[in-house]
Amino acid sequence: MSHDITVLISGRGSNMQAIHRACENGTLQAKVTHVISNVTNAGGLEYARHHGINTTVVNHKEYSNREAFDQALIEAIDCSTPAQLVLLAGFMRRLTVEFTQHYQHRLLNIHPSLLPRHPGLNTHARAIEASDRWHGCTVHYVNEALDGGPVIARAVVPIKNGDNVDSLSARVLAAEHKLYPTVVQMCLHGTVACQDSHVKVNDKAALNPLLYYYH
Ligand code: GRF
């Protein structure tokens, strides 16, 4: 069985690149077959093209509403062999219920905070502002709630004295690059699944999300 992955990006696509590298070095048994962006000049598209990955731009500005854009996105994703997993990796558009239901249980996102803490934007500044001691990232199934789908795993990093947004975001991003390929491997190869909005690990209901510490 082929484990094809489609990745949706809006920017530099460093998470997409980390996933692609993990596929290339065999730690992730899968193939990134399609990278789609809503932004014409997203940096990650260049990387994808350079590595022979099929790319598509679906520019949200060309659609009159969210529904029409999401429909075009679905067509772009499903036009080739259906991807086993669709990954949001810095994809900066809110998605409709129609979209999230279409990809139910095979749509994942990575978010730069320890959800449910700090959903939404500017997570690093908010974590520093709140004097949090710990911060990190979360991989979750995507449903209609913004950053609210069932959590699969979190990676925790410390917030150190003197941290600013740049230093903290770099530490979290390094954790993202480890966590996302790890979780994708578990989802594709059977260890992790989602049933009735509940995450299952090794066929048993996961009482708590998986937790990783990266110092
Ligand atoms: C990451 O921090 C991700 O968690 C968030 O957006 C950022 C995307 O970075 N959703 P990149 O495009 O993968 O480099």
Side-chain angles (χ1 to χ4, degrees), residues 50-97:
H50 184 72
H51 288 83
I53 303 167
N54 181 26
T55 61
T56 304
V57 172
V58 184
N59 185 348
H60 62 276
K61 292 182 184 154
E62 291 172 7
Y63 298 87
S64 53
N65 56 46
R66 219 175 268 285
E67 286 69 26
F69 169 68
D70 280 13
Q71 191 51 46
L73 209 49
I74 288 174
E75 281 163 24
I77 296 168
D78 292 350
C79 74
S80 47
T81 325
Q84 199 179 344
L85 276 184
V86 178
L87 306 180
L88 306 181
F91 186 69
M92 303 302 284
R93 303 298 301 169
R94 284 199 73 161
L95 296 161
T96 57
V97 181

Side-chain angles (χ1 to χ4, degrees), residues 4-9 16 20 31-37 44-57 75-83:
D4 291 350
I5 297 172
T6 290
V7 188
L8 271 53
I9 63 170
M16 174 272 292
H20 176 255
K31 190 169 184 203
V32 178
T33 49
H34 200 175
V35 171
I36 300 177
S37 181
L45 288 172
E46 196 49 48
Y47 172 94
R49 288 185 194 118
H50 184 72
H51 288 83
I53 303 167
N54 181 26
T55 61
T56 304
V57 172
E75 281 163 24
I77 296 168
D78 292 350
C79 74
S80 47
T81 325

Side-chain angles (χ1 to χ4, degrees), residues 11-16 89-92 109-112 124 173 176-177:
R12 69 191 158 184
S14 72
N15 277 288
M16 174 272 292
F91 186 69
M92 303 302 284
N109 180 42
I110 187 153
H111 179 78
H124 308 308
L173 195 64
E176 294 185 38
H177 294 167

Side-chain angles (χ1 to χ4, degrees), residues 147-158:
D147 300 327
V151 171
I152 303 169
R154 302 187 184 102
V156 178
V157 301

Side-chain angles (χ1 to χ4, degrees), residues 131-143:
S131 303
D132 292 351
R133 290 185 57 207
W134 303 99
H135 190 40
C137 53
T138 303
V139 177
H140 62 94
Y141 287 101
V142 177
N143 63 14

